[in-house]
Amino acid sequence: MTQDLARIRAFVQVFDSGGFSAAARQHGRSKALLSKYVTDLEDYLGVRLMNRTTRKLSLTEAGEAYYREASALLQQLDDLDATITDQTAEPRGMLRVSAPRNFGETTLAPAIYEYLKKYPKVTLDLRLEDRYVDLVDEGIDVALRISTLADSSLIARKIADMHVVVGAAPELLKQFGTPKHPEDLRQLPCIIDVNLQGQSNWRFVEDGKTISVPVNGPLRVNSPLAARKAAIMGLGFVVLPSYLAEPAVFSGELVPVLTDFLPTGQTLQAVYPHRRHLAGKVRALIDHLVDWFATHPIH
């Protein structure tokens, strides 16, 4: 059984690393031994799992199916081992975390780096990108998301409250006037961040009910920082998370509008896959972030 697991783990490590040489460097094993393990596994199964060329390594159709199941099996075994050792041991090992780029760079980084100082035996793989990340398929241990939980295959824990700001440059307000109601935005230039939930349909609350206002404008962009810059330059109204809006509001570059109609209830959540055993390093990170943001509120 031990030998079987070694072969399976070698196969997964080689593909995750992108090749035999890279896997050998990362895991401190010889390239020859990894190659032997993978070949032995293929011989045992009676199918080819990998297409080997000098330039690229890829999986066969059978290899893709086997990789998915083998990765899940190894993760369960690793989680089980971690559960036993985590009861007494200090968090350790690789921790893969996903978060939105701008939030990660501006607000999350100090919190998560403090975690690394607290637990020096943990190695962090921090992935900052503005796209939907499939935690299971991409091997992510925990993702920080600013939203409400929609995927029933995931578990979420609230980290902190969040809110949004609608604003515009003073010169734009002089030109068009200050909107009194969200519906006024239909006739006004708006900067659309395509990463925003709803994109060009902005959500507000009136008398306890959610209203959606379709907006248009001179710019669609997939970066809240770029959207903020466009708004500061007077190109249109913008919806921004508070942690990006507040510096521009404080400097006077943006003026908040429609504050009485802004939705509440949005939160920063730590999201992780359903697993019977939650690794101690993940639990320690989530606990740390809850404590951190309790004393460092997100403005």
Side-chain angles (χ1 to χ4, degrees):
M1 181 63 178
T2 301
Q3 192 77 350
D4 292 339
L5 281 175
R7 292 166 180 163
I8 295 171
R9 193 175 292 278
F11 164 67
V12 171
Q13 288 174 346
V14 166
F15 183 70
D16 283 345
S17 302
F20 289 90
S21 297
R25 288 193 301 270
Q26 291 181 24
H27 299 285
R29 310 175 84 172
S30 73
K31 180 180 175 181
L33 180 60
L34 290 174
S35 180
K36 179 180 184 304
Y37 277 159
V38 173
T39 300
D40 287 348
L41 181 62
E42 289 177 324
D43 290 344
Y44 172 76
L45 295 173
V47 295
R48 179 173 290 276
L49 299 174
M50 290 181 170
N51 296 312
R52 302 165 176 82
T53 68
T54 56
R55 292 189 176 183
K56 187 177 180 182
L57 182 148
S58 63
L59 296 179
T60 65
E61 184 176 351
E64 290 179 358
Y66 195 81
Y67 172 80
R68 286 195 299 271
E69 297 299 327
S71 296
L73 172 63
L74 291 175
Q75 184 64 67
Q76 291 176 9
L77 290 173
D78 289 344
D79 288 348
L80 179 58
D81 289 346
T83 299
I84 302 302
T85 58
D86 287 345
Q87 294 177 3
T88 56
E90 180 181 358
R92 66 178 64 224
M94 176 65 72
L95 179 60
R96 296 177 176 87
V97 179
S98 170
R101 177 175 296 277
N102 296 133
F103 175 74
E105 291 172 344
T106 61
T107 306
L108 178 64
I112 210 162
Y113 296 161
E114 193 65 34
Y115 168 84
L116 282 180
K117 291 175 64 177
K118 187 176 180 180
Y119 299 110
K121 294 181 181 178
V122 172
T123 302
L124 180 68
D125 181 355
L126 179 59
R127 305 179 186 184
L128 303 178
E129 45 195 349
D130 295 321
R131 67 176 179 87
Y132 177 80
V133 175
D134 189 307
L135 274 63
V136 176
D137 282 354
E138 300 185 41
I140 302 297
D141 295 301
V142 60
L144 283 302
R145 292 181 178 171
I146 303 169
S147 65
T148 55
L149 182 65
D151 190 339
S152 61
S153 69
L154 303 175
I155 303 173
R157 180 176 171 189
K158 175 183 171 182
I159 301 296
D161 290 314
M162 304 283 291
H163 67 277
V164 297
V165 173
V166 178
E171 65 182 81
L172 193 77
L173 296 179
K174 287 181 181 179
Q175 180 181 357
F176 291 100
T178 301
K180 306 301 181 186
H181 188 276
E183 289 289 342
D184 297 340
L185 293 173
R186 289 176 180 264
Q187 312 302 323
L188 297 172
C190 295
I191 308 301
I192 298 169
D193 178 3
V194 297
N195 290 319
L196 188 71
Q197 187 176 18
Q199 295 193 11
S200 57
N201 290 285
W202 291 1
R203 295 179 181 179
F204 297 90
V205 174
E206 184 177 25
D207 298 328
K209 295 182 180 179
T210 300
I211 57 175
S212 180
V213 178
V215 298
N216 276 295
L219 176 66
R220 295 172 62 90
V221 63
N222 66 340
S223 162
L225 277 179
R228 182 180 70 175
K229 184 62 177 179
I232 289 172
M233 293 181 66
L235 289 177
F237 292 81
V238 70
V239 176
L240 291 170
S242 58
Y243 63 88
L244 289 180
E246 292 298 339
V249 171
F250 183 78
S251 68
E253 295 173 296
L254 289 179
V255 178
V257 300
L258 301 171
T259 54
D260 292 337
F261 297 93
L262 296 180
T264 58
Q266 198 173 47
T267 59
L268 171 65
Q269 298 175 338
V271 183
Y272 49 95
H274 274 287
R275 286 178 184 154
R276 186 175 179 184
H277 306 284
L278 182 63
K281 59 190 176 185
V282 176
R283 185 182 297 107
L285 173 64
I286 295 173
D287 290 343
H288 169 79
L289 292 177
V290 170
D291 292 342
W292 173 274
F293 286 112
T295 56
H296 300 75
I298 303 172
H299 297 294

